């Protein structure tokens, strides 16, 4: 499904940002989250040829999203804020669930390495039952990813219109603030599931039910939010790095395509947006690994051990008691997990939004027409 047709003049143009229209100056779409999938990137035949899905990214950072034959109507009047939220919600949920299932063994291996610390662990123990904890991960994946992307999409739209030059020079500020809001929403949904999942991955319990009863018996409701602060503090710098980097890479790639006279101009194919997401995720994952180590330790703390007083206390105690190298435990599987997940997720998120946007636009248009007919 390729994009085609002339775009209206810049003045008053409503840009389709990642498949979602925004009445604004150029800005780029969000791709997908930081970790979360194996979607088949669909292709459609046009004019007898096989054309990959394209995402129209303006060189200045804007995006007009993938549009096909039915997209002339998608340019105006555009999605309502409710439609924008719905599309982001569903696209994030679909992409998030797929990656969690496909790449879960890497996450389990990383968790076990981090939880073990300096203790010697047999290789067989590290590699046994790599899908332990998959149930709570799958259950949490869709609502957590949906909470993130629904919040991110809605906040980015509002912030870009509110911040001076929010669609231009200060667009990265809007991206970072919107990602921060998405992180808080996602972490609030995901934290209880993450506690249960990581305890199962670390081999502390045999089943989800046993893990839930143990946490409730020893810590009550608060136990399900152990490490919540470290989870949020890990996600905030991660996305503060990842999303602006992702946006910048796409814009740079689009500009190079224009400069080279590419026949598709600034339209990026899905594999190209996926590559940008993968690179952005890998860099961010490596830098934030110490925060991930602390989060894992707080969530898998055994009863009777001295808890960390906070993230900074965790960082300093691990460095002091086990050496600075312990803060990089699990870096390689984490980078691989997020790089592969980013490639699949960012592309899958864009493709899902591209398929959903025209459908939601048509539904909203029908509602508007029915509303006008009712008034008449």
């Amino acid at each position: 499904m390729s994009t085609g047709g002339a775009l209206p003049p810049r003045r008053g143009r409503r840009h389709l940002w990642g498949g979602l229209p925004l009445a604004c100056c150029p800005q780029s779409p969000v791709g997908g989250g930081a970790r979360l999938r194996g979607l088949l990137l669909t292709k459609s035949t046009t004019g007898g040829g096989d054309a990959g899905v394209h995402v129209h990214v303006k060189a200045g950072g804007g995006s007009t999203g993938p549009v096909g034959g039915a997209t002339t109507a998608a340019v105006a009047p555009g999605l309502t804020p409710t439609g924008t939220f719905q599309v982001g919600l569903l696209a994030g949920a679909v992409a998030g669930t797929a990656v969690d299932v496909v790449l879960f063994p890497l996450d389990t291996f990383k968790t076990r390495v981090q939880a073990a610390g300096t203790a010697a662990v047999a290789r067989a123990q590290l590699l046994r039952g790599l899908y332990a904890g998959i149930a709570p991960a799958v259950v949490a994946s869709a609502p957590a990813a949906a909470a993130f992307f629904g919040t991110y999409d809605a906040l980015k739209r509002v912030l870009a219109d509110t911040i001076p030059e929010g669609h231009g020079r200060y667009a990265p500020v809007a991206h970072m603030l919107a990602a921060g809001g998405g992180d808080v929403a996602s972490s609030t949904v995901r934290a209880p599931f993450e506690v249960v999942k990581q305890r199962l991955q670390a081999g502390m319990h045999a089943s989800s039910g046993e893990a839930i009863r143990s946490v409730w018996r020893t810590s009550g409701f608060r136990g399900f939010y152990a490490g919540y602060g470290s989870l949020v503090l890990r996600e905030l710098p991660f996305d503060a790095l990842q999303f602006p980097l992702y946006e910048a890479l796409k814009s740079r790639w689009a500009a190079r395509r224009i400069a080279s006279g590419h026949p598709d101009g600034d339209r990026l194919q899905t594999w190209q947006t996926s590559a940008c997401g993968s690179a952005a995720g890998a860099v961010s994952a490596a830098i934030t690994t110490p925060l991930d180590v602390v989060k894992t330790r707080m969530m898998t703390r055994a009863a009777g051990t001295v808890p960390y007083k906070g993230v900074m206390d965790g960082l300093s105690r691990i460095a002091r008691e086990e050496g600075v190298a312990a803060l990089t435990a699990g870096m390689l599987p984490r980078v691989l997990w997020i790089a592969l997940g980013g490639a699949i997720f960012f592309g899958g998120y864009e493709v899902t939004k591209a398929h959903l946007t025209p459908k939601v636009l048509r539904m909203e248009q029908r509602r508007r027409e029915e509303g006008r007919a009712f008034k008449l």
Side-chain angles (χ1 to χ4, degrees), residues 106-296:
L106 277 175
D107 182 39
T108 299
F109 183 81
K110 177 216 63 146
T111 298
R112 290 173 180 175
V113 170
Q114 291 178 341
T118 55
V121 181
R123 180 177 299 181
Q125 186 176 344
L126 286 174
L127 300 177
R128 183 186 302 117
L130 290 175
Y131 272 93
I134 185 66
V138 169
V139 172
S141 183
F148 178 88
F149 282 102
T151 305
Y152 181 91
D153 279 353
L155 279 180
K156 185 177 178 183
R157 177 174 181 152
V158 172
L159 291 169
D161 288 338
T162 304
I163 298 174
E165 295 192 63
H167 300 299
R169 182 187 308 175
Y170 297 114
V173 176
H175 301 160
M176 286 188 286
L177 291 175
D183 285 331
V184 173
S186 174
S187 297
T188 301
V189 172
R190 188 155 53 96
F193 298 94
E194 187 77 3
V195 169
V196 174
K197 175 188 76 93
Q198 291 212 306
R199 285 173 167 261
L200 290 171
Q201 289 176 317
M204 298 174 66
H205 306 287
S207 67
S208 296
E210 180 184 319
I212 292 170
R213 288 191 296 271
S214 175
V215 173
W216 181 263
R217 185 171 56 252
T218 57
S219 307
F221 179 77
R222 293 181 60 183
F224 292 102
Y225 279 87
Y228 172 75
S230 61
L231 178 62
V232 173
L233 290 176
R234 180 197 68 176
E235 297 300 298
L236 289 175
F238 183 99
D239 288 323
L241 292 167
Q242 183 193 34
F243 279 85
L245 179 56
Y246 171 64
E247 306 279 1
L249 288 172
K250 287 198 304 178
S251 296
R252 181 67 61 87
W253 203 331
R256 289 184 63 183
R257 287 167 66 88
I258 294 174
S260 64
H262 196 281
D264 284 329
D266 56 2
R267 291 170 174 82
L268 296 186
Q269 293 189 5
T270 299
W271 73 266
Q272 292 169 319
T273 60
S274 296
C276 292
S278 179
V283 171
S284 304
I287 294 173
T288 57
T289 295
L291 295 171
D292 189 53
V293 171
V294 174
K295 189 268 300 182
T296 298

Side-chain angles (χ1 to χ4, degrees), residues 113-119 293-294 297 308 313-329:
V113 170
Q114 291 178 341
T118 55
V293 171
V294 174
R297 296 289 186 88
Y308 298 134
D313 180 53
L315 290 169
S316 61
R317 276 181 54 185
I318 292 172
R320 184 174 63 252
E321 297 170 5
E322 305 173 31
V324 176
L327 292 173
T328 64

